[in-house]
Amino acid sequence: MKLLRKSIVLLLSLIAGTLYAQEDVAKFLKGSLNDAEKLSKAYLEPFGKSLGTSLNSGWYNSANPHGILGFDITFTVPITIPPSSDKTFDVSKLNLEYWQVKSGSSSTSPTVTGKSSNTILTDKATGLSELNMPDGANLKFVPAPMIQVAKGLPFHTEIVGRFLPTINISSVGNFGLWGVGVKNEFKEFIPFVKRLPFSMSVLFGYTQFTSSFDINKAQKQKLNFKSSGYTARLLVSKSIPVLTVYGGLGYNHSTTDISLKGTYNVDGVGTVTDPIAFDFANNGFTANLGLRLKLAILAFHFDYSLGNYGIFNAGVGINFR
């Protein structure tokens, strides 16, 4: 239960950072819609990529599938750490059409994962209109807590479902998560290979996270996130009494779509509907290494994944092999 409480705190941190970001995305509408999209994308990119990366983690803590009567129910929390290089971005490199960096102001502005900002933009035409770039929300990590249920099937196969029930927060919005995966210990079907003294499997998984946060309910203004992650892994593990060492090597792909919905009044443009929509993609190879400790029916696991974004993953579950 202590792990559950800590995970709820992490989730609230994620919500707080997102709420902070959504207000600033609406402020970017001042001046030019094209510029608003460029600024919003640069500001939110580390959050979008971190969220997508988190979704591809936490699928397994053993390469050995459950037997036909075996199953587990596991609470797991992948936590993605955005790299320091994603803490800031250079506004002068965005090729803005309406705004320019004010003389004497820094062109380096924080992303949502960064800290304070000293960047001021002025309009190119007159220099009379100004836009103060927002501070970052200082997001040190992006968690994606979820519940997983795995069930053994015939032919050394296991199916995995994962979810976070849709959570509605009054005057804020809602969010939820679901996914499905399959694991198969293929080496059992290959002569000689099946004699290897460790388990070896392949895993394919898909996860989707959706959220909708309210900016102004009366005007139906919302900031929507939809993040999807696909992963394919080669898994190996070796078990001794109580302890299992496991690892995986594979490829991740994730996309995060962000859209600003509703009707807005934009200076110099007028009334616009659904003014901003963009997406982030994050692809690459990944590898992880972890340990699982099994005490009777309880199993605790921890692992770390390498890649463009480092991921810590920890969890606890009820496990019947």
Side-chain angles (χ1 to χ4, degrees), residues 2-18 47 75-81 139-146 164 175 312-314:
K2 184 180 292 186
L3 177 61
L4 178 59
R5 288 195 296 269
K6 288 184 177 180
S7 299
I8 292 174
V9 171
L10 292 178
L11 184 57
L12 292 176
S13 298
L14 169 61
I15 295 170
T18 305
F47 173 81
F75 180 70
T76 187
V77 186
I79 298 174
T80 300
I81 311 297
L139 292 179
K140 300 185 187 311
F141 49 79
V142 177
M146 62 190 75
L164 180 67
F175 53 91
F312 293 95
N313 178 65

Side-chain angles (χ1 to χ4, degrees), residues 4-278:
L4 178 59
R5 288 195 296 269
K6 288 184 177 180
S7 299
I8 292 174
V9 171
L10 292 178
L11 184 57
L12 292 176
S13 298
L14 169 61
I15 295 170
T18 305
L19 293 176
Y20 188 96
Q22 74 173 15
E23 297 176 357
D24 293 316
V25 169
K27 291 176 183 177
F28 285 141
L29 290 175
K30 181 181 179 182
S32 162
L33 291 181
N34 287 335
D35 286 0
E37 186 166 308
K38 290 179 180 179
L39 290 168
S40 299
K41 189 170 184 178
Y43 182 70
L44 290 176
E45 184 171 11
F47 173 81
K49 288 186 174 181
S50 295
L51 178 60
T53 301
S54 291
L55 299 182
N56 283 322
S57 184
W59 278 106
Y60 53 89
N61 52 54
S62 173
N64 183 25
H66 287 299
I68 295 178
L69 299 179
F71 70 93
D72 73 77
I73 302 173
T74 300
F75 180 70
T76 187
V77 186
I79 298 174
T80 300
I81 311 297
S84 57
S85 58
D86 282 0
K87 297 292 184 182
T88 60
F89 67 98
D90 191 338
V91 179
S92 65
K93 294 182 179 180
L94 297 181
N95 297 317
L96 302 179
E97 59 186 32
Y98 182 86
W99 298 109
Q100 64 183 356
V101 178
K102 184 177 181 179
S103 178
S105 178
S106 172
S107 65
T108 302
S109 187
T111 65
V112 68
T113 63
K115 295 183 179 180
S116 58
S117 173
N118 296 310
T119 302
I120 301 174
L121 306 183
T122 60
D123 71 283
K124 293 181 178 180
T126 67
L128 299 177
S129 182
E130 292 188 349
L131 174 64
N132 292 312
M133 291 297 292
D135 293 335
N138 195 23
L139 292 179
K140 300 185 187 311
F141 49 79
V142 177
M146 62 190 75
I147 299 169
Q148 289 194 169
V149 179
K151 176 69 175 68
L153 299 175
F155 306 109
H156 304 281
T157 300
E158 178 180 296
I159 188 168
V160 185
R162 49 174 29 183
F163 65 97
L164 180 67
T166 299
I167 298 173
N168 291 283
I169 302 177
S170 179
S171 301
V172 175
N174 63 78
F175 53 91
L177 176 152
W178 69 272
V180 63
V182 62
K183 178 168 66 180
N184 178 265
E185 191 167 14
F186 65 93
K187 85 178 187 73
E188 296 301 317
F189 304 102
I190 305 175
F192 304 110
V193 175
K194 66 180 181 180
R195 297 179 182 177
L196 293 173
F198 53 83
S199 297
M200 180 183 295
S201 299
V202 290
L203 177 139
F204 301 94
Y206 170 80
T207 310
Q208 183 180 107
F209 172 91
T210 57
S211 65
S212 181
F213 293 107
D214 297 317
I215 295 177
N216 187 315
K217 273 194 171 183
Q219 299 183 37
K220 298 182 179 180
Q221 296 175 347
K222 295 178 177 290
L223 182 67
N224 292 342
F225 285 83
K226 180 180 178 180
S227 189
S228 302
Y230 304 83
T231 188
R233 306 281 183 97
L234 174 66
L235 315 179
V236 294
S237 68
K238 177 65 176 178
S239 295
I240 58 177
V242 181
L243 189 65
T244 297
V245 179
Y246 63 93
L249 177 66
Y251 185 79
N252 287 341
H253 172 78
S254 66
T255 57
T256 300
D257 299 300
I258 300 176
S259 58
L260 194 62
K261 298 293 186 179
T263 301
Y264 301 80
N265 293 316
V266 181
D267 294 343
V269 178
T271 301
V272 294
T273 302
D274 302 343
I276 295 177
F278 52 88

Side-chain angles (χ1 to χ4, degrees), residues 285-299:
F285 290 94
T286 184
N288 78 314
L289 184 65
L291 294 173
R292 185 187 71 184
L293 178 66
K294 194 170 185 295
L295 303 175
I297 64 172
L298 287 179

